Amino acid sequence: MQSPLTTAAFALLLLASATAGAHAADLLLRERAMPTGSIVRLGEIATVLRATPSEAARLSALPLMPAPAPGTEQVIRGQQLRDLLEAHGVDLMDIRFDGATRVTVGERRERRPSSPTTTTAPAANTLEATPAPNTKQRSQVGFRLVTEAPPKPGSRPRRLPQIDTTAAAKSLADSLNAYVRRRMGDDLMRVRDVQPTPRQAASLAEAVDQLVITSTEAPATGSQRFLVSFATDAGPVRFPVYGTVERVEPVVVATAPIPRGSLITNANTRLGVLDEDFRPRANESLIPDLETAIGREAARSIQTGQPVTDSNSEPPIMVRRGDLVDVKAGSGGVVVRMKATARRDGREGEVVEIEALGDRRRLEGRVTGYGELSVVSSARSGATSARRAR
């Protein structure tokens, strides 16, 4: 029997001389295979489906390992097969694994029967039903466990279910954003350009728990590679995804629902990041700092996570109808102050009609603060009063 060191060295020589590159295909793994020569090739442990004849021949001819010594067996597990295919330059993103979760290569050890009853072993290289997945088996990159019986050779491959890839991409982006912000300690980081393949989207739709995101390097701005792991009813799934990490300009977003007419405060807003697909309304401007937003009133209901803008919020009412207000008139070095009564509500910057105490003159004043106005002109008619801002 060959020593493990000799076997490993021989395998490395074979891998170094192998050809690289394979296109999309399905690999239907057998439970048992009997090599016909001194080298175990991919076509002896798996049936290549959904590939052109040239691609199938190229994949089938890939050498994997030396054949076990006569009378011995060797088991190839999913992770080992993945490593061998990667060494050949095969892109696992284009490979779908199905069938058995491990392949036994070699002859069965003969056992002397305890009774005259004769049993017939199944023929080598035959397809058998897939066993139930082992829940204790660790997650395998690029290797998907299945519980259904493999399709018969020559049959049409199973079609992937119709999946909303937009929803899958958003769910994946949300998990990536949370991971990057936690690792980098910055809530203004975002991962964009995340586009899962249809096969990845189908797997994401079958997830039965939260996604686990990892990376081989510390997250940084720019293009990044992440590993996504999660469990499905068929077993664990793991695959790489790519995205671009960037820091975005903050905006004021609601941390709780803000009813119409309520004040915007520190308690119901914060600086945050909008979804990548957010599009403001026409002529709508986002408010980029808390100092500007706090103290404004909600012009309509603002839901949690929505941004505060100049269209869904407005300055607070600083002058109310019937209030006694301070009015400033004049220019240059001559300034006259007087008292007047506001004839309607007004917000900062708005022009409202006021009535001077004493002579009851009607004037127009611009609201400059709480209970304060600056005279603009005399009110000449009702039309002039109707010309107020708003």
Side-chain angles (χ1 to χ4, degrees):
M1 182 175 180
Q2 300 176 2
S3 67
L5 183 60
T6 303
T7 301
F10 185 75
L12 289 175
L13 289 174
L14 289 174
L15 295 177
S17 61
T19 59
H23 298 287
D26 289 345
L27 295 184
L28 181 62
L29 302 183
R30 304 182 176 94
E31 285 192 343
R32 174 170 291 276
M34 177 67 70
T36 58
S38 59
I39 298 175
V40 179
R41 300 185 182 275
L42 180 60
E44 295 177 314
I45 69 169
T47 301
V48 181
L49 303 174
R50 201 176 63 86
T52 63
S54 60
E55 292 169 346
R58 186 183 305 110
L59 285 171
S60 298
L62 290 177
L64 301 179
M65 54 181 282
T72 64
E73 296 177 337
Q74 187 165 345
V75 175
I76 301 179
R77 291 180 170 82
Q79 183 61 43
Q80 294 171 309
L81 179 58
R82 173 194 172 279
D83 294 338
L84 292 170
L85 293 179
E86 279 191 333
H88 281 287
V90 177
D91 187 358
L92 296 182
M93 300 294 291
D94 293 329
I95 297 295
R96 175 188 171 89
F97 293 85
D98 213 332
T101 60
R102 48 187 250 173
V103 182
T104 302
V105 181
E107 299 177 342
R108 293 182 184 270
R109 290 184 173 88
E110 296 183 358
R111 296 182 179 179
R112 181 170 297 177
S114 57
S115 65
T117 303
T118 303
T119 59
T120 304
N125 296 339
T126 58
L127 301 178
E128 302 179 17
T130 304
N134 181 3
T135 57
K136 294 183 179 180
Q137 185 173 6
R138 66 186 180 88
S139 177
Q140 299 172 338
V141 176
F143 190 87
R144 184 175 181 189
L145 307 180
V146 295
T147 55
E148 60 183 334
K152 295 180 180 180
S155 63
R156 291 184 177 181
R158 179 181 58 185
R159 288 187 177 183
L160 292 174
Q162 296 296 323
I163 299 297
D164 185 351
T165 55
T166 301
K170 186 179 186 308
S171 174
L172 180 57
D174 290 343
S175 297
L176 291 171
N177 287 336
Y179 169 78
V180 168
R181 291 167 187 169
R182 184 178 68 254
R183 288 288 305 275
M184 300 184 71
D186 190 341
D187 288 340
L188 300 181
M189 303 306 297
R190 181 175 65 189
V191 183
R192 62 176 177 84
D193 301 332
V194 179
Q195 295 294 333
T197 65
R199 186 173 298 134
Q200 291 173 345
S203 298
L204 288 167
E206 298 172 0
V208 295
D209 62 358
Q210 293 183 345
L211 305 186
V212 177
I213 310 296
T214 58
S215 57
T216 55
E217 298 180 356
T221 55
S223 180
Q224 294 283 303
R225 179 179 185 269
F226 305 93
L227 292 177
V228 183
S229 305
F230 53 92
T232 67
D233 290 335
V237 176
R238 190 182 185 203
F239 53 76
V241 295
Y242 298 86
T244 302
V245 179
E246 64 180 5
R247 193 175 193 276
V248 298
E249 292 298 325
V251 296
V252 179
V253 296
T255 58
I258 306 176
R260 178 182 178 182
S262 298
L263 283 178
I264 295 172
T265 66
N266 275 319
N268 54 27
T269 56
R270 66 173 178 86
L271 286 178
V273 178
L274 292 177
D275 291 337
E276 186 177 359
D277 56 353
F278 174 81
R279 297 293 182 271
R281 299 181 180 182
N283 301 323
E284 182 179 39
S285 298
L286 302 175
I287 297 180
D289 59 89
L290 290 171
E291 183 178 355
T292 303
I294 291 175
R296 294 173 68 90
E297 292 181 1
R300 59 175 182 268
S301 296
I302 304 175
Q303 302 303 316
T304 302
Q306 288 184 343
V308 178
T309 70
D310 61 354
S311 66
N312 63 16
S313 68
E314 55 191 358
I317 295 176
M318 293 185 170
V319 172
R320 294 191 178 275
R321 179 180 180 181
D323 285 353
L324 189 64
V325 296
D326 292 323
V327 181
K328 181 177 65 174
S331 60
V334 180
V335 176
V336 177
R337 294 183 180 274
M338 63 181 179
K339 294 290 185 179
T341 302
R343 296 184 57 82
R344 77 171 187 87
D345 296 345
R347 304 177 187 275
E348 185 177 11
E350 293 182 345
V351 176
V352 300
E353 186 180 46
I354 56 177
E355 184 178 284
L357 296 181
D359 58 10
R360 303 179 65 86
R361 284 180 301 155
R362 297 290 180 88
L363 305 171
E364 286 185 336
R366 187 180 305 277
V367 180
T368 58
Y370 284 99
E372 296 180 352
L373 298 94
S374 177
V375 172
V376 176
S377 64
S378 299
R380 289 185 293 273
S381 66
T384 303
S385 299
R387 191 172 38 82
R388 298 185 283 268
R390 287 186 65 89

